[in-house]
Amino acid sequence: MARPSVFFSYGNGDERDRGTAHRLAGGLRSLGAEVWIAPDSIPAGDEWRPVLIQQVLERSTHFVVLLSASSVTSAWVRREIDLAARRHADDPEFRVLPLLTGRFGDYPGREFLNRFQRIPFHDTPAAQLAELARAVGLDALTAADTAELIAEKTVSFVGRDNVFEAIDDFLASGDRGYLTIEGDPGAGKTTLLAEYVRRTGYVAHFNIRGQSLNTSRYFVHRLGSNLAARYGIAGVAAGTDADRHGEILGRLLSEARANEAADRPLVVVVDALDEVNTGGDPEGANVLLLPRHLPGGVYFILSSRRAGVPLHTDAPNRVFDLGRHHGQTMADVREYLRRQGSRDRLRGWLADHGIPLPDFVDVLAGKSDGNFMYLRHVLPELAAGVYQDLDIRHLPQGLEQYYDDHWRAMGRDGNLPTRLKVWVIYLLCEFARPVSTGVLARILREVEPGADAMSVQQVLDEWRQFLHRDEEPRGARFSLYHASFRDFLHRKDTIRSAGLVLRDVNAVIADVLWKHEYGRK
């Protein structure tokens, strides 16, 4: 659908009319509509009447007129209604949307406006904006750039019913709180939250490190704009002192909640806490300055890798670990593969190579191990004919770049020496099963003087988001989160990029394992 262009007509004689019109106009603009509203939309020095006529008669797709006891006596409103009638006579597709805010008698233009379905009036700003957004063809109260991200992420969405049920249970089980969905890189957390926002229309914020859209300042200002558009509250003034952002965030949430319907929660969805740049935030502050205390009826649905993101709160704080629901994830992966394998391009590739759909599903589900990012990059290359069979030996370019971002993050995090980090990577790649901190430290003492269990554990703690941690009676054991990531790291060019020339340590590994009888411990 083309972007709607909406003209607002209102009377200046009543401050309430002016406030309502500008609040609704700002809300539609934040959702992606082109909006014309006087006097803001008239360039300085332009003549009022020619600009007005051009907008109403030539450019706008929708005409919204706020009708009140004050506005129906306004000469300008009557003139704008006359212009809208002329435009509609020439173009029946031109939409006329009357919004009545009270009861009053006859007025000029009433006969024309009575021909059109009115926009229902609502007492709450959020409900009124939602009604108007639907009337102009905007399906959800989501900012335009966020809506584009959601549309791109959810185009082939499938499953995750267990996660949505967990969210519903969380919202029903208390009067406020935080729920964090944790999972490996590539587990589909962003897509999952995008689908949740698509279904519910809740306020959403997606942190994007690659575009530097991941600071507390950006979050508070952006959330303020979204809440202001929905609920008619004051946003964050330009130039606001950063020291007040935490205070302002609390105010935004309280005022928005007060303007929401009593029987509806205020839910804010925030993706990728692990990507937030906390530089410049006060020491000890929560990530994104999220409040320790939440007003009643306010909930945050969050997502993060297992990165130890700081979140200290007196409100209920629950974690949903996708890794603990691997069976459901694999069932969703298999359904996703069945659907993708039935589409034209992949179906043709499978037929050309004599591969039955069930075999395709079994092999790719096993290779993905529940990682949707792996499938997102591999399936297009299969459909494009890059591979001759399902024995996928090289990584797609997109997945290479994704893993390269991981590698750079692993190298820059913390203050530990690069050499030690590379040795830990090398050993994690060499082992075909989870390994303990103690065994890694024993091997490293043979090849890297000064290495000890404490420094190895520090490396593993820094890389928590990229590792699987298996708790066993004899202690925790660690492994890289996906086999394809291990293959990427184990390549010589990746290891050499750290400036370290590796010698063959297989004999050292075998000797240490033998000495400590690793297989029986």
Side-chain angles (χ1 to χ4, degrees), residues 167-282:
I167 296 174
D168 290 343
D169 176 70
F170 171 73
L171 296 178
S173 63
D175 69 340
R176 71 196 77 188
Y178 293 96
L179 172 65
T180 304
I181 298 169
E182 286 191 350
D184 292 334
K189 301 180 294 298
T190 298
T191 297
L192 195 158
L193 289 190
E195 175 65 14
Y196 183 66
V197 174
R198 188 191 68 80
R199 295 183 183 187
T200 62
Y202 289 140
V203 177
H205 179 81
F206 292 84
N207 291 293
I208 306 175
R209 181 167 49 203
Q211 297 176 251
S212 296
L213 306 178
N214 63 335
T215 63
S216 59
R217 181 185 184 282
Y218 179 76
F219 168 70
V220 173
H221 280 260
R222 183 64 183 267
L223 182 65
S225 297
N226 289 338
L227 294 178
R230 289 188 183 221
Y231 297 104
I233 62 176
V236 185
T240 299
D241 191 333
D243 292 341
R244 297 190 57 222
H245 281 162
E247 167 201 339
I248 290 170
L249 179 56
R251 188 263 299 170
L252 289 168
L253 295 172
S254 295
E255 293 184 2
R257 182 66 193 90
N259 282 280
E260 180 59 274
D263 59 346
R264 278 180 53 84
L266 173 65
V267 179
V268 180
V269 177
V270 183
D271 179 53
L273 294 187
D274 53 278
E275 295 196 10
V276 173
N277 178 1
T278 58
D281 289 348

Side-chain angles (χ1 to χ4, degrees), residues 71-124:
S71 71
V72 296
T73 65
S74 165
W76 274 111
V77 171
R78 292 199 300 268
R79 189 173 295 124
E80 288 161 359
I81 292 172
D82 288 343
L83 291 171
R86 288 165 51 190
R87 167 69 188 274
H88 188 267
D90 292 336
D91 178 10
E93 296 298 316
F94 180 63
R95 299 289 306 281
V96 178
L97 303 170
L99 172 57
L100 273 68
T101 62
R103 294 185 177 182
F104 35 84
D106 197 13
Y107 57 89
R110 180 173 184 174
E111 183 178 351
F112 168 69
L113 294 178
N114 279 347
R115 293 162 53 188
F116 304 98
Q117 180 68 33
R118 299 170 181 172
I119 300 172
F121 177 76
H122 294 273
D123 290 324
T124 60

Side-chain angles (χ1 to χ4, degrees), residues 346 349 375-387 394-399:
L346 264 177
W349 184 89
L375 296 175
R376 177 186 171 188
H377 289 292
V378 167
L379 294 184
E381 294 212 349
L382 277 175
V386 174
Y387 303 107
H394 71 272
L395 297 177
Q397 182 180 0
L399 200 58

Side-chain angles (χ1 to χ4, degrees), residues 234-351:
V236 185
T240 299
D241 191 333
D243 292 341
R244 297 190 57 222
H245 281 162
E247 167 201 339
I248 290 170
L249 179 56
R251 188 263 299 170
L252 289 168
L253 295 172
S254 295
E255 293 184 2
R257 182 66 193 90
N259 282 280
E260 180 59 274
D263 59 346
R264 278 180 53 84
L266 173 65
V267 179
V268 180
V269 177
V270 183
D271 179 53
L273 294 187
D274 53 278
E275 295 196 10
V276 173
N277 178 1
T278 58
D281 289 348
E283 185 176 354
N286 281 336
V287 62
L288 295 178
L289 307 180
L290 295 175
R292 177 182 287 272
H293 175 74
L294 289 177
V298 176
Y299 304 82
F300 277 84
I301 309 300
L302 314 168
S303 78
S304 177
R305 298 174 186 170
R306 301 180 190 88
V309 174
L311 184 58
H312 308 288
T313 174
D314 348 358
N317 186 11
R318 191 182 299 180
V319 173
F320 186 94
D321 188 347
L322 293 172
R324 296 183 179 274
H325 301 267
H326 191 64
Q328 292 99 321
T329 298
M330 289 302 295
D332 292 340
V333 163
R334 297 179 70 85
E335 177 60 26
Y336 175 76
L337 286 168
R338 275 191 287 270
R339 295 187 185 185
Q340 294 297 311
S342 300
R343 293 186 172 182
D344 291 342
R345 293 187 68 190
L346 264 177
R347 184 172 65 237
W349 184 89
L350 293 174

Side-chain angles (χ1 to χ4, degrees), residues 32-95:
E34 181 182 7
V35 173
W36 196 97
I37 184 168
D40 303 356
S41 302
I42 300 179
D46 281 7
E47 292 186 45
W48 188 293
R49 181 174 173 79
V51 172
L52 185 151
I53 293 173
Q54 180 188 24
Q55 290 294 329
V56 178
L57 295 184
E58 297 178 14
R59 294 187 55 184
S60 299
T61 59
H62 296 75
F63 176 82
V64 176
V65 54
L66 271 66
L67 298 172
S68 68
S70 173
S71 71
V72 296
T73 65
S74 165
W76 274 111
V77 171
R78 292 199 300 268
R79 189 173 295 124
E80 288 161 359
I81 292 172
D82 288 343
L83 291 171
R86 288 165 51 190
R87 167 69 188 274
H88 188 267
D90 292 336
D91 178 10
E93 296 298 316
F94 180 63
R95 299 289 306 281

